[in-house]
Amino acid sequence: MRNLLQGFKNIIKRILQAIKRRMKKIGIGWAFIIPALFFITLFVIIPIFYSMFLVTQSCRGIVCESNFTGNIDKLMGDVQFRQVFKNTFIFFIVQVPIMLTLALIFAVILNNPKLRFRGVFRTAIFLPAVTSLVAYSVLFKMMLAPEGIMNTAISFIGISPIGWLTDPFWQRVTIIIALLWRWTGYNMIFYLSGLQNIDKEMFEAAEMDGANKRQTFFKITIPQLKPIILFTAVMSTIGTLQLFDEPFNIIRGSGTTASTMTLSQYIYNLSFVYIPNFGYAAVISYVIMIIAALLTIIQFRIMREEK
Amino acid sequence: MRKPNKIVKIIKLSFTYMFLSIVSFICVFPFYWMLAGGTSTSNEVSSGNISIGSNLVENYRILVEQSDYLRAFGNSAFVAILTTILALFISSLAAYGFEIFKSKRKSKVYGVLLLTMMVPFAALMIPLYKVVIYLELSNKLISVVLPAVATVFLIFFFKQSFIKFPREIIQSARIDGANEFRIFRSIVFPAMKPTYAAAAILTFTASWNNFLWPLITLSSNELQTLPLKISILSSSYTPHYGVILLSIVIATLPSIIVFFSLQKYFVAGLTGAVK
Amino acid sequence: MKKVITLLFVAVLILTLSACKGKDADFSDGKITIWAWDPNFNISIMNTAKGIYGDDVEIIIVDMAKGDLETKLHASLSTDGDLPDIVLIEDYMAGKYLSSYPGKFADLSDSIDHSKFIPAKVAIGTFDGAQYSVPFDSGVSGMFIRNDLVTDADVAAASIAGVTTFAQFVEAEITWDEFIAVGQAYTARTGDAFMANNFADGGLFRTILNSTQSWYTNADGDFEFNGNPGVEEASRIYKEIYDAEVMFNGTSTEIYKAATDWATWVDPLGNGDVATVTTGVWISGTVKSTTANSGDWTVMKTPRADITGAVNYSNLGGSSWYVLADGDVDESVAFLKAIYEENQDNFYDTILINNGAIGSLISAASSTAYTANDPFFTNTAIWNDFALWSALIPAIDYGFYTYEADEALMNAMPAFLDGTSSLSTFLNEAEVAAKSKVE
């Protein structure tokens, strides 16, 4: 590991020197990028290279042996992996479209300058996004407990109590509700900021041409927001594939984990709960990376800007 | 002709307000509940009381005495403010470089960067900790700041926001003889304030609430940040709910204040001065 | 432009350098750093120890949540990261850490006299023939019962041989089936739950299992659920409790209150929603925290599983101190030895009175604090009882995989409880899942 790091250090040094020498040739654009590249190399790229090395290892704590094919064989026959993969995909497919649609609707409504109390509503809807994870999981656990406020509320309309935290089906519903609650306002912020960057004159021109609200929305708002919509779609995809916080904090300890454990939670368990096997954990993480990359490429293709 | 139109409008508007009110209630209620709990005794909270109690001062006293909460607040503030300033600066510069000075090679580098975002953090934590130990930064607040000052997430966000920036403005500034950094600072930055505001809110909040990484890299009591303190408080075997909820209320306030003070940039027309 | 970048790099460099002047995590520094969890129990106890040991050595106690500490410990052990000198490890986890990180923990076989501690506890910290632990608190279990809520009639309804009154009941050695029968009588009369249980948590399951002298594994250390009498019996009892419904006011009512986390399990203890709790002695602090209930609680022996070899003594949880090999071993051992082995200034009396902690040092149990009557518990000598019981807990080799087994069993449990899986299907399924976690 030390040698590896030393090697990278030298490589960075050489790259920096080369850049300095050829700054004029390469162009000013790189000067904007280099500071970020420096930190990302140090704190992201190097760790990723190390984790790539880990993929070939099978570990028990600090006792590791080289066994890449063993890891792949294990992955192929891993029942639990199949289960957590399925769970993660259910969350992804159900939650992301609902959340992004809602966020866009909120943003467009709240962008209307004629709407009163805009600031109040905006703050209210964004509020869940600022809660710390610990806070939010304590809250959800208390509200969704067997005799919690949620079951009391639904009993008024004649529905019998639901095992929000314990029933395998409803656990998933709980996670999706929690995700929507926390992240819809968060995504709304991106759309709101994107809406501000649209030239006001475009809307004015459309209004003068007699376009109604729906037409304006589909002809101006959506195309102009496209880059931001792509951004939120990609980030939500990655975020959901790496989903960890909600199932880890809300369900774990409350109910059985079989129907809500996600890929990231499995990685965490492989590293910090079961006998630590950092090698196999790294293998799973690259499965996530490959899937996320494929989905991102598809999204970029769909949203590609017409030149 | 005019009248029915107006009625429809009013009905539509009141529907909008009702919809927004319900959504807002769902979003805000838990905060009210937290606030009520933070002012109540432990028994009042566990018996489901949701009115404002009278135990605020006592809860605060216990909180500050038991857990060195103010120091943790200071640590969190240091980390979050420094991270936000550095991250906005470094990441937006890079995004500008990638978007405005497009080239084949840069696109390739950018593609690799996007790819790095897809590896889950749970798997990178151990390697990252090794790097931090090697740099002798472990158990220092700066070890929480530095890995977050250049994030692919922010670069991606800024780059997507720069896409719609009118290039003619940059071109004409270049003709006027302004240097590239000056263009960025005095033309692009002011025009992109809503984007910066959004990025600042999200970076601050993420840093303020960051839990897993500070847990790994910070080992001393004096360096613990707020989320670590809340985790300790809420995992006690004889939990003191009033104190826990008060600690959460206090921990949530700064993010709300940051949001409040920056949200003026989301008002339509105020800053969309891209002319 | 160049200037800006240079400036930036300089700024970062200064920041980094200034950060380097911070606290150095150097080890042999004459300080002892300790990681532990729970401010009202372990942390408070270590502070007592620190007070007794004096100021010759600076002792720094770092407070963390239990799960957080475990994560952090794994991260640091596997990277040569920051580690304390002494760390608290739960007994179920000991085997996992000792086997995964060879050489990282100091061998205390020669420096601590382990014969002075309860053997079952010493066995837990023993790996490959070497002793690594300084045994700390016992998780000896008991059944806490409300004498103001449960009546003679409830007890009599269960028709236990030789038991007709509550007073006889608390002295008796009962089985879980008798416990359920009393619970049914109690719930049928009051409509309240007799106990609280989180059916996704393996705590009660392990309490039952430990008392049957068996564990999740066979003699070779491999998982064996199906055909393992202890696991089968504990599963049966879980289902009996789950199914034990009685009629109250015309509606069928369960004898348990469903808990979904620590809070919903603990809260009913204070407000009278449940009449009993069967768990480790460490719960006594929580029970006593509702001072209004003073005089209302009594403690009796743990109910017994209905198979041969099962006893009325069991254990849940408990933890021990471990010394890190790269730390200040001599200083740390000297400190732990003085307090925990030599009982300096009657340390064990103090923590018993202040924290309700039962230690594992055999000689400590004969002191006056242990034999004194506790007014909270109807003026009975419950500490003496617990100390006696703790020596009778069946010694179990927990192996390395307690929580893996727990997770697999609890995940498969719902289907068994609601009747969709038979006992053998359920155990087979759980066994396969558990084995896949440790391959």
Side-chain angles (χ1 to χ4, degrees), chain C residues 256-268:
Chain C
Y256 66 88
K257 190 178 174 73
T260 46
D261 58 4
W262 177 267
T264 47
W265 182 71
V266 143
D267 287 345

Side-chain angles (χ1 to χ4, degrees), chain A residues 60 253-254 256-257 268 273-274, chain C residues 71 96 198 260 407 410-411:
Chain A
R60 186 193 167 88
S254 308
T256 58
T257 52
Y268 181 88
V273 180
Y274 309 152
Chain C
T71 301
K96 179 170 290 177
N198 179 354
T260 46
E407 187 181 73
M410 295 306 135
N411 274 344

Side-chain angles (χ1 to χ4, degrees), chain C residues 26-35 46 49 53 57-60 83-87 105-108 111-112 132-134 321-342 344:
Chain C
D26 196 7
F27 285 124
S28 27
D29 49 5
K31 290 180 196 157
I32 301 176
T33 308
I34 301 168
W35 288 0
M46 243 341 179
Y53 198 61
V57 184
E58 191 184 346
I59 297 172
I60 301 161
L83 284 166
D85 300 293
I86 298 170
V87 66
F105 293 96
D107 180 353
L108 306 180
S111 40
I112 297 284
Y132 292 90
S133 72
V134 176
W321 301 106
Y322 291 78
V323 176
L324 275 302
D326 291 336
D328 230 333
V329 178
D330 295 342
E331 297 255 21
S332 306
V333 170
F335 163 65
L336 291 171
K337 193 178 177 71
I339 304 294
Y340 289 89
E341 186 190 317
E342 287 159 7
Q344 191 176 326

